[in-house]
Amino acid sequence: MSDVITAGMVVIGDEILSGRTKDKNIGHLADMLTAVGIDLKEVRIVGDEQRAIVEAVNSLRTAYTYVFTTGGIGPTHDDITADAIAAAFGVPCPYHPEAYALLEAHYAGRGVEFTEARKRMARTPEGASLIANPVSVAPGFNIGNVYVMAGVPSVFQAMLDKVIPTLRTGQKLISEGIHCTFPEGTIGGPLGDIQKAHPETIIGSYPKFDTTGAWTEIVVRSRSREKLDAAVRAVKEMLDSLGQRS
C-alpha cells in the first residue's frame, strides 16, 4: 500500500465564527482531496487573531503532509493571514514583486487607484511562491507545505484548481455501503469488534430515516479491495447472525 497523504485545514475569519458568513470551502476541499487520494484529517476554525492562526498553522503543518488556509488575504485591516503565516515561519512579510506588479497593472488598467490597502494584497512571507487567481487577480501563496488562499468560495475553488495538480497524491479510498435494518445501538458492539479485526479499513455507521422507517447505513472504506471485501463479508455475516431483514 502506498504512503497515505494527509492534510489539515485552517479556516480564518471572525465572520465564520459569528455566523455572519457560512463556510462553503471545507466541503469543497474535502471532496477535491478525496478525489485525488489525500485524506483531510483535521479542520480548525480561528478568528482574525495572529496568535491563533500561528498556533493552528504550526500545529497542523508538522502533523500533516499539507495545510490549506482560507480567508484573511484581502485589503482590509483585519486581513492578517499573510503576516500570521510569516510569523509562523519566522520570516518577514514584504511585497512580492510579481504580485505587486500584477496588482499594479490590474488597477491601472481599470483606472482605479492602487491604494495602500490594495497594495497589502501583494504582501507574502519571504520565500513564498504565488498561487494564481483567475477570478479577481489578487494571488494566494504557498510556503513550505502551507497553501494560503482566499475565503470567497469562487476564488478559493479557482485557486485550488491550480494547486491540486502540483500536489503529491495517494492511493484513493474505495468504499461499499451496506443496508442495515437495525439501529446503531444494536450493531455498535459487534461493528466495533469487526473494526478491530480489520484495522486497514474504516467502518462508519449512519442512522437514516425515510418513508420505510428508521435504518442504518454502514459504509466500509479501504485502500485495498481485498481488505475491503473481507470487512464487508464480516459485516454482512454479523447482520445475518442478528437476523437481518431483507
Side-chain angles (χ1 to χ4, degrees), residues 127-211:
S129 57
L130 300 182
I131 299 172
N133 173 2
V135 176
S136 54
V137 180
F141 60 87
N142 158 233
I143 180 169
N145 64 338
V146 179
Y147 294 81
V148 178
M149 292 173 280
V152 177
S154 61
V155 181
F156 171 73
Q157 291 171 21
M159 288 183 173
L160 189 61
D161 286 344
K162 300 291 185 181
V163 169
I164 290 289
T166 71
L167 302 178
R168 183 164 63 97
T169 57
Q171 186 174 354
K172 298 177 184 178
L173 282 170
I174 52 178
S175 66
E176 184 168 336
I178 304 163
H179 184 90
C180 168
T181 59
F182 300 107
E184 286 188 299
T186 301
I187 62 170
L191 200 62
D193 292 337
I194 293 172
Q195 177 69 87
K196 290 177 183 177
H198 298 268
E200 292 190 58
T201 66
I202 303 167
I203 303 175
S205 63
Y206 310 95
K208 304 286 185 177
F209 302 91
D210 57 26
T211 55

Side-chain angles (χ1 to χ4, degrees), residues 25-91:
N25 295 328
I26 296 173
H28 182 76
L29 179 65
D31 287 342
M32 293 291 287
L33 294 183
T34 297
V36 297
I38 299 175
D39 291 355
L40 181 61
K41 305 294 286 185
E42 184 176 355
V43 177
R44 298 192 188 186
I45 303 175
V46 299
D48 298 308
E49 179 185 347
Q50 180 164 306
R51 179 197 57 78
I53 298 169
V54 169
E55 181 180 327
V57 168
N58 277 340
S59 175
L60 297 185
R61 72 186 178 97
T62 58
Y64 305 119
T65 312
Y66 299 114
V67 176
F68 303 89
T69 79
T70 67
I73 58 172
T76 60
H77 71 281
D78 58 348
D79 288 315
I80 61 169
T81 299
D83 295 282
I85 300 298
F89 280 84
V91 297

